[in-house]
Amino acid sequence: MKRMVGGRARGIVMRSFRPINFLGMIDKRTGMVGDISHDLHGRRLAGSILVFPHGSGSSVGAYTIHSLQSQGVAPAAMICERADLTVATGCAVAGIPMAVATESEMGMLRGGDRVLVDTDAGILEVE
Amino acid sequence: MQLTPDEEAALSGRHGDIMQMAYRILVATGEATGAERLVPVEWVHLSGVNYNTIGDAGEAFLRSIRDRAKVRVRTTLNPMGFDIDSVGSYDLGEGFIQKQRSIQESYAMMGVETTFSCVPYDILQLPRPGSQVALAESNAAIHANSLDGLHTNKESAFSALASALTGKSPYGPLRQDMPPDMAVEMAVSDPTELEWGMLGYFAGRVCEGHAGICGAVQPDTRGCKAICGGMGTSGMCGRFSFGEAPPGRERVEFGPAEAAGIRDELNTAEKGDLIILGSPQLSFGEIRDLVAMLGGRRFAKKCMVFCPRTVKERAAAAGYLDILERANCTLLADCCACLTPLVSAETTDSVTTNSIKGAYYLGRSNGVGVCLKPLNRIIREETV
């Protein structure tokens, strides 16, 4: 696991296998995934350990992540396969721990798992 | 990423909380791009302007830093939510206008030029080729790397803001002159700007760095802008060039089947209630071409045309504004089709556009149906 934004969080894994365009897909006030074609459609991101391939699309998605945090509906941490600037900097401003995981770490994470993430210490544990 | 002692001091908060935030953002950007150091940039273009996209949290964030934050390099700005000349014709409400004005004031107080354009390459004198810059608007970043000889990361709204406040940006792979990571073969014959936009959208999905487009010659400026818009919408790819990738790199084909797949995804209506042009915004040359292509005919339905303020002024001076108004077009400056608050699913079922980027955001975020057609077909089928 490689740290992008330092921090520690506990929560339930919300697993997506599709990139997330934070500007286009996520309601910035509720954290609800509005895109009907996305595998997380209708889910709320609040408090989750959000595990997904990477962010996509508009650079303004970083503001969406900050807005989710301001509204108290942001994920507790984000774990991606690959780093992109929209997600990394959105998490940096919002203070959300974020890391890029290895393939085997990604394979270990299943939706519904309760996990502990500490991106500073490089800890990722299924509890 | 290695920081100098002065940069370390800023990160630890010794130069105030604004600089600390900026360096935190730059460090996250550096980690995400794998950069080893920061380099000076000569120009920054910011996104995060339209109140419809950044919302109350974004407006409050900018208001909270504007008294203390000042840009250190030339910094220009993406479109906002409306054209002040015609805002009264749309049902935005006083609250929206007030918040948008606050965002505008915040950027102006920080020393940003309020250009309100997503096509800075069409309206500004650019730094000389080879310069390092930091552009947050995805289509403009791709344009800079691919067509203007400039170098930028595919910045986020916050990484570009941090670069404006510090004059620096991480030296990521897109800043270095790397060969294409893979080849995308254009196998659709006689492509219009719509197919070029689809190719960009496709390449943005399959390629993460620099896409080499082969099998076709470089299209005209409208085709190139369509590639930039489509590519910026779908993924992480930040550059394209025309030509082969080095031997051994992956090669994928963009043919009729791939184009049909994207059409199935983005074309959600048989016809549109109104026509939308300008995502990215149209240049003066594109406005002139539109007038010529119309040839005195008028659209049978309302056509919204998005462009920069300077382009609208030039169009007015050239007499095009009157011609286009008679042709049922409304020219809208300072805003663009991407996440426009001027089109609402409450009053509009569907729109017709030639833009892949526009189709994506109008469909996903505005929630309206989209009918995709190239401009020549829109003019042939939708004018009287």
Side-chain angles (χ1 to χ4, degrees):
Chain A
M1 186 168 76
K2 189 183 173 206
R3 174 189 65 185
M4 300 289 125
V5 179
R8 185 185 164 92
R10 238 191 195 97
I12 306 291
V13 170
M14 189 178 291
R15 184 77 169 96
S16 168
F17 295 89
R18 306 193 57 175
I20 297 179
N21 181 332
F22 277 87
L23 182 63
M25 295 176 180
I26 313 290
D27 185 310
K28 60 182 173 284
R29 279 176 288 270
T30 64
M32 172 93 85
V33 182
D35 184 345
I36 53 166
S37 68
H38 200 267
D39 60 2
L40 295 182
H41 173 62
R43 306 280 297 275
R44 288 173 187 272
L45 305 181
S48 69
I49 307 295
L50 184 61
V51 182
F52 61 110
H54 56 83
S56 70
S58 173
S59 62
V60 186
Y63 272 96
T64 307
I65 294 171
H66 167 259
S67 176
L68 296 176
Q69 186 73 316
S70 305
Q71 303 287 326
V73 295
M78 297 197 204
I79 298 173
C80 297
E81 274 168 37
R82 293 191 292 281
D84 76 279
L85 298 195
T86 297
V87 173
T89 63
C91 288
V93 172
I96 298 170
M98 193 235 155
V100 171
T102 63
E103 213 176 306
S104 66
E105 287 168 330
M106 288 302 276
M108 173 183 104
L109 293 167
R110 279 183 298 269
D113 285 351
R114 185 172 176 80
V115 297
L116 167 71
V117 186
D118 186 329
T119 61
D120 289 310
I123 294 171
L124 178 59
E125 282 173 7
V126 179
E127 298 187 319
Chain B
M1 188 166 69
Q2 290 291 316
L3 298 181
T4 65
D6 193 49
E7 291 163 354
E8 285 286 359
L11 180 64
S12 70
R14 262 177 280 160
H15 299 170
D17 62 330
I18 301 287
M19 279 297 127
Q20 184 174 32
M21 176 191 69
Y23 276 92
R24 274 191 189 144
I25 295 169
L26 292 180
V27 167
T29 306
E31 296 298 338
T33 56
E36 291 174 355
R37 63 192 166 96
L38 297 170
V39 290
V41 292
E42 293 180 33
W43 167 41
V44 175
H45 184 81
L46 296 177
S47 64
V49 187
N50 183 350
Y51 173 61
N52 208 31
T53 64
I54 68 170
D56 290 331
E59 185 272 335
F61 168 76
L62 292 168
R63 191 155 34 80
S64 75
I65 65 169
R66 68 185 183 188
D67 291 328
R68 294 163 295 148
K70 288 282 172 289
V71 302
R72 294 206 175 171
V73 289
R74 182 183 196 193
T75 304
T76 53
L77 209 54
N78 243 13
M80 60 170 182
F82 53 75
D83 180 341
I84 194 68
D85 298 345
S86 59
V87 68
S89 317
Y90 299 88
D91 192 20
L92 285 190
E94 204 41 53
F96 189 108
I97 296 169
Q98 240 172 39
K99 296 276 180 156
Q100 186 66 77
R101 283 198 179 286
S102 162
I103 294 165
Q104 177 174 356
E105 270 170 39
S106 294
Y107 281 119
M109 285 171 72
M110 288 189 254
V112 179
E113 292 174 43
T114 50
T115 48
F116 298 127
S117 172
C118 53
V119 292
Y121 48 83
D122 277 335
I123 60 166
L124 298 181
Q125 172 128 32
L126 301 182
R128 69 193 179 288
S131 299
Q132 297 288 342
V133 299
L135 312 188
E137 164 56 35
S138 56
N139 101 83
I142 294 165
H143 199 284
N145 284 332
S146 311
L147 301 161
D148 304 322
L150 302 173
H151 303 291
T152 175
N153 301 320
K154 192 157 178 284
E155 308 289 352
S156 80
F158 288 147
S159 74
L161 180 62
S163 292
L165 298 175
T166 60
K168 296 174 186 179
S169 172
Y171 192 59
L174 283 168
R175 296 194 173 284
Q176 303 159 42
D177 224 354
M178 309 276 245
D181 301 295
M182 66 183 300
V184 179
E185 184 178 347
M186 180 51 152
V188 174
S189 51
D190 300 322
T192 65
E193 79 277 13
L194 189 57
E195 281 89 18
W196 283 117
M198 289 176 176
L199 172 119
Y201 191 74
F202 176 79
R205 272 203 182 147
V206 297
C207 177
E208 283 174 27
H210 175 184
I213 300 170
C214 55
V217 292
Q218 183 170 326
D220 62 2
T221 52
R222 190 186 299 135
C224 284
K225 275 175 84 165
I227 299 173
C228 295
M231 187 174 274
T233 302
S234 63
M236 293 163 66
C237 187
R239 182 180 175 192
F240 64 87
S241 56
F242 281 83
E244 290 290 339
R249 299 285 163 97
E250 191 187 351
R251 186 185 184 88
V252 293
E253 184 179 281
F254 176 76
E258 287 73 25
I262 294 172
R263 179 178 288 281
D264 282 350
E265 180 192 335
L266 298 177
N267 186 86
T268 52
E270 292 279 309
K271 61 180 185 61
D273 307 328
L274 65 93
I275 298 161
I276 291 189
L277 304 176
S279 177
Q281 290 171 333
L282 298 190
S283 66
F284 181 73
E286 288 173 291
I287 298 277
R288 190 183 51 212
D289 289 351
L290 176 63
V291 169
M293 287 168 85
L294 280 165
R297 295 159 69 87
R298 58 191 294 278
F299 287 112
K301 53 189 78 154
K302 187 178 157 191
C303 176
M304 297 168 82
V305 181
F306 293 92
C307 65
R309 172 70 54 190
T310 50
V311 168
K312 186 177 176 183
E313 286 168 0
R314 276 184 76 190
Y320 295 156
L321 201 53
D322 294 337
I323 295 172
L324 287 170
E325 270 169 18
R326 284 198 297 275
N328 221 355
C329 296
T330 306
L331 246 63
L332 293 150
D334 297 334
C335 48
C336 99
C338 178
L339 285 120
T340 176
L342 308 179
V343 176
S344 147
E346 283 161 31
T347 52
T348 307
D349 286 332
S350 58
V351 300
T352 299
T353 185
N354 64 342
S355 163
I356 293 296
K357 176 178 185 172
Y360 179 92
Y361 286 105
L362 286 160
R364 293 284 199 291
S365 299
N366 296 61
V368 297
V370 177
C371 172
L372 275 170
K373 288 182 201 178
L375 183 57
N376 60 11
R377 248 186 79 200
I378 295 176
I379 290 177
R380 196 165 65 232
E381 296 173 10
E382 313 259 6
T383 56
V384 288

